[in-house]
Amino acid sequence: MKKLFTIALFFFCKIVVGQKFGLGPDAQFSQFFANPLYHNPAFTGEAGATRLMATFRSQWAGLGDGGYKSYIAGIDGYASRGLGLGFLAFRDEQFKNFSTTSLSGLASYNIVINDNNVVVFGLQGSWVFNQINDLSNLKFVDRFSTTSNSVVINPSIDPLANKGGLSWNYLNFSGGFLWKNSPYMDNDRLVWAGGTWHNLKFSEKDFQPKGRIGLQAGFKIPHHLDFIGHGRVKDMERERNIAFTTYFRKQGRFSQLDMGVNFQYSPINLGVWYRNMPFKRADFPGQDAITFITGVKFGKFMFEYSYDLTVSSLNRTTAGANEITLWYGLDFDLDLSLNGLDRRRKLKCTNF
C-alpha cells in the first residue's frame, strides 16, 4: 500500500508536468478558527490583538513513509486606520518525497458600513518553493506496456528518471473578503460570511496549483450555561458562546464541505466538525472524516488539539490525523496610532 501511494503520487506529478496542469489539492487544516489566515487573508488582524500562531498537522501516518505533515507559523495584528498586517511561513511534506514551502505577506483593509456592518478585503502574496526529493528509483508510466498475459517494464527514455530531484518556484497571490454583522456591535452575537480565491494565475505557463475557491459562513450566539460560576465578577466575564460554521472549497475536480460547531466556556473550547465530499460520483464515497477539537485558553496563551477520525473506506489504514495549535498574544501592538480599540476591531470572528 505504501509503495502504491508513492508511485501514484509521482505518476500524478508526471502527468502534471507533461500537460502543464495544476498540482493536486492544497494542504488543509481542520482547526478552522485556529488558522484563519491560511483560509482567508481577510482575517488578517481581525482578532484585535497582535498574536503569534503555530500549527502542526500529521495526517495518514498509517500509510507509512511519514504520511502528510504540515507546518504553519505566523503573526498578525491591527495596524490602525482599518489596516491589518500579517506574515505566514508554511511547509507541507507528502510521504518524504514531495514538499512545498512558502513565505507569505498578508494585508487586510476594513470598511465600516455602519455601526452594525463591517466589510474586510484581504490580499496575500507568497513565494512558493516545491521540491521532489528523488526521481532515480521511480518507474514512470511510459515504461509499462502490456502483452496478452503480462505487464512488461521497458527501459526508461524519460529524462526525469535520471535526475536526483526536481525543484521549481513561483510567485503566488490570493485574495479574500469578509462581511460581519452584529445587531449590538459586539462579539456576543455575530453573523459573518466570506469568500476566497487562492492561487490566482496570471500565466498558464507557470507550474503551480489550480485555483482554489472557498466560501465560508457562520454565526455566533451566547449561551447562559454556568458550570462553575459563583456569581463573582470573573465568572460573569467568562466567554460563553456557540459558533456554527461551514466552509466549502473547490480546486480543480476536488470539492469539500466542512461543517462544525464550537462550544466555548472559557477557558475551555470544544468542537465537532464533519467533512464530506459534495457532488460526488456514484462510485465514490462522499464521507471523509469527523473532527473532534478540544482546547484551553489562559490569558495570552491558547492550546488546541484535534483528531480527525476517518469514516471513509480508508478508516482502517490511515490512522486519521492529529493537529496541534499554539497561540500567544503579544503586549506589543501594531496599532501605531495609539488610539486604542476602535469600532473596526470590535466585530471579531476569532477572539484571542
Side-chain angles (χ1 to χ4, degrees):
M1 178 63 71
K2 177 178 65 176
K3 294 181 179 179
L4 177 61
F5 270 84
T6 303
I7 293 174
L9 169 66
F10 284 99
F11 278 172
F12 179 73
C13 292
K14 165 65 177 175
I15 296 174
V16 166
V17 174
Q19 301 183 7
K20 298 186 185 298
F21 289 166
L23 290 172
D26 292 337
Q28 69 174 20
F29 293 92
S30 294
Q31 299 176 24
F32 178 87
F33 287 109
N35 290 281
L37 307 189
Y38 180 79
H39 296 109
N40 189 338
F43 281 111
T44 304
E46 196 264 347
T50 303
R51 56 188 173 182
L52 292 170
M53 301 170 284
T55 298
F56 167 71
R57 177 179 176 86
S58 175
Q59 178 177 336
W60 292 9
L63 296 179
D65 280 351
Y68 295 89
K69 287 185 172 61
S70 300
Y71 311 79
I72 191 167
I75 180 173
D76 77 321
Y78 182 81
S80 80
R81 298 185 181 275
L83 180 66
L85 298 175
F87 173 82
L88 277 182
F90 169 77
R91 180 173 176 82
D92 184 52
E93 299 175 354
Q94 302 183 29
F95 296 96
K96 299 182 180 180
N97 293 301
F98 177 67
S99 63
T100 299
T101 304
S102 68
L103 300 175
S104 304
L106 305 96
S108 67
Y109 184 71
N110 297 254
I111 301 175
V112 177
I113 305 301
N114 53 41
D115 287 342
N116 306 103
N117 294 274
V118 174
V119 176
V120 189
F121 295 94
L123 181 65
Q124 176 179 351
S126 308
W127 184 256
V128 184
F129 178 81
N130 290 306
Q131 183 172 12
I132 299 176
N133 297 326
D134 189 4
L135 296 170
S136 60
N137 296 321
L138 299 179
K139 296 178 175 61
F140 292 94
V141 66
D142 57 6
R143 296 185 60 185
F144 292 84
S145 61
T146 60
T147 63
S148 58
N149 56 3
S150 65
V151 176
V152 179
I153 302 178
N154 302 311
S156 176
I157 59 174
D158 197 308
L160 292 179
N162 298 320
K163 289 182 176 292
L166 178 67
S167 63
W168 65 98
N169 53 74
Y170 55 88
L171 188 63
N172 197 11
F173 292 94
S174 301
F177 73 91
L178 188 64
W179 165 75
K180 299 179 285 184
N181 171 272
S182 175
Y184 304 109
M185 197 57 189
D186 58 23
N187 296 311
D188 291 333
R189 294 172 176 85
L190 183 67
V191 178
W192 62 274
T196 51
W197 188 357
H198 292 270
N199 308 323
L200 292 168
K201 283 191 175 184
F202 299 97
S203 172
E204 290 299 327
K205 296 181 180 180
D206 294 334
F207 180 26
Q208 64 185 80
K210 285 181 174 293
R212 171 164 55 95
I213 298 174
L215 298 174
Q216 311 102 26
F219 66 93
K220 180 171 60 174
I221 56 176
H223 66 76
H224 303 287
L225 300 176
D226 194 355
F227 301 104
I228 56 177
H230 301 286
R232 293 174 296 193
V233 173
K234 67 177 183 179
D235 295 321
M236 297 174 62
E237 293 179 347
R238 293 182 186 276
E239 295 182 50
R240 314 179 195 200
N241 60 70
I242 300 176
F244 300 87
T245 309
T246 182
Y247 180 22
F248 172 78
R249 73 201 79 176
K250 181 174 176 56
Q251 185 173 17
R253 299 186 299 110
F254 302 92
S255 61
Q256 180 175 303
L257 178 65
D258 295 0
M259 300 176 291
V261 55
N262 280 41
F263 175 87
Q264 186 173 26
Y265 182 84
S266 61
I268 303 299
N269 178 59
L270 302 173
V272 178
W273 287 63
Y274 173 66
R275 180 183 307 125
N276 67 97
M277 311 295 180
F279 316 119
K280 62 184 181 65
R281 303 191 309 268
D283 60 339
F284 187 78
Q287 69 272 13
D288 183 16
I290 298 176
T291 300
F292 301 94
I293 301 174
T294 182
V296 293
K297 182 175 69 172
F298 294 102
K300 301 176 183 180
F301 174 81
M302 185 189 78
F303 169 84
E304 195 165 88
Y305 168 78
S306 66
Y307 176 73
D308 291 9
L309 176 64
T310 304
V311 294
S312 69
S313 58
L314 296 175
N315 60 344
R316 296 183 179 180
T317 57
T318 63
N322 295 276
E323 195 168 307
I324 297 175
T325 295
L326 297 175
W327 276 22
Y328 186 77
L330 298 176
D331 292 329
F332 169 75
D333 198 338
L334 296 179
D335 187 355
L336 304 180
S337 67
L338 302 180
N339 291 329
L341 291 175
D342 61 20
R343 60 180 180 171
R344 294 180 178 88
R345 303 170 69 183
K346 291 182 180 179
L347 295 185
K348 301 191 291 291
C349 302
T350 55
N351 294 339
F352 176 76

